[in-house]
Amino acid sequence: MTSRTLKLLTASTAFVAAASVGQAADISTSLTATQFTSETGAFNIITGGSIVTNVSSAIVISSTSAASNTITISTGTSVTSSNSATNPVISSSNVNNGAVTINVSGTVSALSGTTKAIDLSGMTNGNTIRNDGTISGSVTLGNGTNTFTSNGGTTNGAITGGNGTDTVTLTNATVNGNMSGGSGTDTLNINGTNTFTTGGTIGLFETINFNTNTVLDHTVTGASTSAIAAGKTLTVNSSANLGAVTNNGTLNIAAGTDVNALTYTGGTGATLGIAVGSSNTSNVGQLILSGGALATGTSVTINVASNAGFIASGTTYTIASGSSAANQVSLTSAANGVYRFSTQTSTNDLLLRVGRVSTSDVVTGDENKSIANVLDTIGAGATGSLATVQGAIGSQSSAAGVQAVLESLTPSIDGAGVASVNFAVDAGNQVSNRLASVRGNGYGVATGDAMAARHMWAQGFGSTVSQDDKDNARGYDADSAGASIGMDTDTLIDGLTTGLAVTYGKSTVDSNASGSASTDIDTYAATLYGSRVMDNGVFVNGQVGAGYNKYEMERTVAGVGQSKGDTDGLQASAKLETGKDFAVGGATLTPLASLQYTYLDMDSYTETGAGNASLRVDPDAMSTVDAGVGGEASYAIALADGGTLKPSVRAKYVYRMGDESMATTSQFTGGGAAFNSNGVEGDKSSVNLGAGILLTTVGGTDLSLNYDADIRSSLTGHTGQVKARWAF
């Protein structure tokens, strides 16, 4: 846009000139001071306009008419000065000026937040400033009866009153600077629905009304009365002098912080929150009363900080001085997760006594109790991340919260171990399905029958398992996907079908524990298998497999952050299966029995990322034997093109012997005794149900789909498989 230079000669021509060019997008006044005033009306800067100066104030008020001293800076407009602090962006030059009204919906910008944006200090008449936009720079109100309101606006600078009566009302507003009343009687109202956080000190406001949630991160001085509205919370994180306090909501005093009050009166439902920051008895919130005792019936809540560390039983704090008998106060809760609170008096002081119970008495489950005993033994000697963990335990308001913290300290890899074992079992079942399809196509039906040729096959598979929580141990969810490639023939050994399969799988195991432990597993496995069908139709299948697993673990330690670990593992399996095919009409019924052994050995590892709350983890080897008995039924349907479509259903009862979970022995890298984690114990009995469909073409190519379900009292698993086989 075109820039214009505007020089004003008189007050009346100033307004006329401004009005005539007010429609322009930019008004540049870089050569001389610009005065907007008239004897006939207010000045408005319309949307899209701007006033810029780098010589003097952008707007200087000089009219004795209050009607002429109304300035509106609408949304989308700006008034800017890049001059020194001696030349405010908007100023008043005459003590006799009429009352000033400034409405800001756009922006008023000084050189910086510490220089002057609006300076009405020369005024004795009342002034009104409303900031619903952005003011960057300090604001000085003047010496009359003044109001400053901000509804959703931002003030990046100090707000200062004069010698008159000032009222500052902030509604969902932001102030990044100090706020100060003057020498008169001044009021600060903090309103709205948003939480207001101070951006600077508050001083010389005789009355402060906290009508919305407020956080005082800076000092407050000079108040005569303060009021907290019902349902609202005032959090004091820096020393504050609040005068006579009327609390109808919640007053929270941070650890190590003093609130000085003339008197304290709590309304119905009001709460005085006292924070305990550590075992250092001075690190506590304190209410200091200079004009009397706590009002009878004062309700007190004790908040133990999350970084308080370990507080020994019997530690005593002064939480109020200038008070009287302890029976005037009531504790809203006499206990949290591990601490027990009581009050007593000493002269005129109100004291808080903290008792502590054993953490192991609060939690349930052998794993949690084992960890709790270690932490209780370390006690106040904990440092670093372990001290943070102790603080996280002590800050919990309930036993359930304590339980959640301890759960986050468990390595929670038992689900990963069981998932690896189940992966091997599933791989064995998939090979069994493969051998069943070979028998069913007439290959190797009896000793001496030969396959038409060697065959290759490929399959993709996916599974999902959900283990419920059980016996105070957390369950998990495991998802797996992968692919196998195999080759088999019955020409290598007369009367015996032999094959080799290689498999890659990717699994993710997510624990139900509060630490959100998660393990990613990459599995690389190979399986040798064989099948022999006797002349009487009895078949014997066998397979042996070996695999390598790579584990990557992570979990969130309460109060500390994420820990990570990685390790390797080896697994081996062997399966023997026998049964007999019976032809019943066009169907085939196959009773069968199986026995599968699986062994898993996971290497020990040391976590990183959680400081000295990281763990050294030594998993125990895991071995299982699954004994199963069941049967399958299939029916071959001849197709017009000479191919065959064969649906099938199967069912098996399986009883698992051996290890039901993966146990671990762990120790914090920061010290303490080792503790055991046994994980959730899997169910011994399960029912396996499955169904499939096999399409065999005239050329000997097979396509099959299979679904299997593993159903136990506390676990449900689903596996899907698609496979293709062809001759070569």
Side-chain angles (χ1 to χ4, degrees):
M1 296 295 180
T2 302
S3 298
R4 294 189 173 98
T5 300
L6 178 64
K7 185 174 183 180
L8 303 179
L9 300 179
T10 66
S12 58
T13 58
F15 175 76
V16 173
S20 65
V21 300
Q23 303 298 322
D26 294 285
I27 303 172
S28 177
T29 58
S30 59
L31 299 180
T32 185
T34 305
Q35 300 178 14
F36 291 106
T37 184
S38 76
E39 298 298 330
T40 58
F43 176 74
N44 300 312
I45 305 175
I46 65 166
T47 300
S50 65
I51 303 172
V52 182
T53 182
N54 60 8
V55 175
S56 184
S57 297
I59 301 176
V60 177
I61 301 164
S62 61
S63 175
T64 58
S65 168
S68 301
N69 290 340
T70 298
I71 300 170
T72 300
I73 303 166
S74 59
T75 303
T77 68
S78 62
V79 180
T80 306
S81 172
S82 58
N83 208 334
S84 67
T86 59
N87 292 296
V89 180
I90 302 175
S91 65
S92 173
S93 64
N94 192 328
V95 72
N96 295 317
N97 285 344
V100 173
T101 299
I102 301 174
N103 300 309
V104 179
S105 296
T107 61
V108 177
S109 300
L111 182 63
S112 69
T114 60
T115 56
K116 298 178 181 179
I118 301 174
D119 184 3
L120 306 180
S121 59
M123 300 290 296
T124 56
N125 292 315
N127 304 304
T128 300
I129 299 175
R130 180 183 176 96
N131 176 27
D132 297 341
T134 300
I135 298 176
S136 294
S138 64
V139 176
T140 305
L141 299 179
N143 297 320
T145 299
N146 308 295
T147 62
F148 179 95
T149 62
S150 183
N151 191 346
T154 298
T155 303
N156 295 313
I159 300 173
T160 305
N163 294 325
T165 299
D166 303 310
T167 301
V168 175
T169 300
L170 308 175
T171 304
N172 295 327
T174 300
V175 178
N176 295 314
N178 301 332
M179 292 187 288
S180 178
S183 59
T185 302
D186 306 307
T187 300
L188 173 62
N189 301 309
I190 302 178
N191 302 335
T193 57
N194 300 338
T195 297
F196 177 82
T197 301
T198 57
T201 62
I202 297 175
L204 300 178
F205 285 98
E206 283 70 25
T207 300
I208 306 177
N209 296 312
F210 300 100
N211 298 320
T212 189
N213 295 335
T214 304
V215 178
L216 299 180
D217 282 339
H218 301 80
T219 60
V220 177
T221 58
S224 298
T225 62
S226 299
I228 304 169
K232 306 303 179 182
T233 299
L234 172 63
T235 301
V236 182
N237 294 328
S238 186
S239 63
N241 291 276
L242 298 181
V245 175
T246 300
N247 178 20
N248 291 306
T250 299
L251 170 60
N252 286 331
I253 307 176
T257 299
D258 294 339
V259 169
N260 291 274
L262 179 64
T263 58
Y264 173 89
T265 302
T268 302
T271 298
L272 172 62
I274 299 295
V276 178
S278 70
S279 57
N280 183 339
T281 56
S282 64
N283 194 9
V284 67
Q286 186 173 171
L287 179 65
I288 301 175
L289 298 169
S290 60
L294 283 172
T296 300
T298 296
S299 180
V300 177
T301 295
I302 305 301
N303 304 311
V304 179
S306 60
N307 60 350
F310 186 96
I311 301 174
S313 186
T315 305
T316 302
Y317 307 84
T318 300
I319 60 174
S321 61
S323 65
S324 59
N327 60 13
Q328 287 191 328
V329 303
S330 61
L331 293 173
T332 58
S333 175
N336 71 357
V338 294
Y339 294 124
R340 305 294 180 259
F341 308 120
S342 61
T343 58
Q344 60 189 66
T345 57
S346 175
T347 313
N348 286 326
D349 294 335
L350 178 64
L351 307 181
L352 171 71
R353 188 181 186 279
V354 177
R356 183 178 179 117
V357 298
S358 171
T359 309
S360 62
D361 290 340
V362 174
V363 298
T364 59
D366 292 340
E367 293 181 2
N368 293 324
K369 288 182 178 294
S370 180
I371 299 172
N373 286 330
V374 172
L375 292 171
D376 283 344
T377 300
I378 295 174
T383 60
S385 296
L386 282 177
T388 302
V389 169
Q390 297 281 37
I393 292 172
S395 66
Q396 301 305 310
S397 60
S398 65
V402 176
Q403 181 102 351
V405 174
L406 294 190
E407 285 179 4
S408 78
L409 304 176
T410 306
S412 299
I413 61 170
D414 56 293
V418 176
S420 295
V421 170
N422 288 341
F423 188 95
V425 171
D426 286 343
N429 292 338
Q430 290 160 20
V431 170
S432 295
N433 291 342
R434 162 66 187 146
L435 291 172
S437 68
V438 170
R439 285 197 325 278
N441 282 332
Y443 305 125
V445 172
T447 303
D449 290 346
M451 296 176 67
R454 295 168 295 178
H455 285 78
M456 290 195 67
W457 55 271
Q459 70 178 18
F461 59 89
S463 67
T464 179
V465 174
S466 179
Q467 169 67 60
D468 298 336
D469 297 345
K470 182 183 177 185
D471 299 330
N472 295 315
R474 293 296 191 183
Y476 57 85
D477 294 321
D479 298 310
S480 301
S484 299
I485 299 176
M487 179 178 69
D488 48 39
T489 181
D490 68 354
T491 61
L492 186 62
I493 301 175
D494 186 35
L496 187 67
T497 300
T498 57
L500 171 67
V502 292
T503 300
Y504 168 74
K506 181 77 172 182
S507 304
T508 299
V509 184
D510 295 318
S511 172
N512 295 345
S514 60
S516 301
S518 178
T519 304
D520 290 334
I521 311 170
D522 291 289
T523 299
Y524 307 85
T527 304
L528 286 170
Y529 59 90
S531 177
R532 182 177 180 84
V533 181
M534 311 301 179
D535 291 334
N536 60 1
V538 174
F539 63 87
V540 178
N541 298 335
Q543 56 180 283
V544 292
Y548 165 78
N549 299 316
K550 182 173 179 59
Y551 302 90
E552 292 184 353
M553 294 79 72
E554 63 181 28
R555 62 191 172 89
T556 301
V557 180
V560 175
Q562 195 172 73
S563 69
K564 295 185 177 182
D566 60 81
T567 190
D568 303 321
L570 297 176
Q571 67 185 48
S573 63
K575 184 175 183 179
L576 185 66
E577 186 176 39
T578 186
K580 183 176 181 179
D581 293 327
F582 293 92
V584 181
T588 300
L589 301 180
T590 308
L592 54 84
S594 65
L595 195 67
Q596 179 165 351
Y597 170 75
T598 306
Y599 174 81
L600 173 66
D601 186 17
M602 187 185 300
D603 294 341
S604 59
Y605 64 94
T606 300
E607 296 177 330
T608 60
N612 63 359
S614 299
L615 295 175
R616 299 186 186 96
V617 183
D618 184 14
D620 291 349
M622 185 176 182
S623 60
T624 62
V625 176
D626 291 321
V629 60
E632 182 176 12
S634 61
Y635 187 85
I637 303 171
L639 301 178
D641 62 359
T644 303
L645 186 66
K646 184 173 70 173
S648 62
V649 294
R650 50 191 172 269
K652 182 190 286 188
Y653 169 77
V654 178
Y655 185 82
R656 174 164 289 183
M657 296 169 282
D659 297 321
E660 300 168 16
S661 63
M662 171 172 278
T664 60
T665 301
S666 304
Q667 185 178 26
F668 293 113
T669 59
F675 57 88
N676 298 321
S677 302
N678 294 319
V680 60
E681 292 187 358
D683 301 311
K684 292 181 177 294
S685 297
S686 67
V687 174
N688 296 162
L689 302 176
I693 188 166
L694 171 67
L695 172 65
T696 303
T697 67
V698 175
T701 298
D702 291 348
L703 297 173
S704 64
L705 293 172
N706 284 282
Y707 164 78
D708 292 277
D710 182 5
I711 303 171
R712 312 182 195 185
S713 61
S714 65
L715 179 147
T716 303
H718 305 274
T719 301
Q721 174 198 107
V722 57
K723 182 167 60 180
R725 179 187 68 89
W726 60 94
F728 71 100

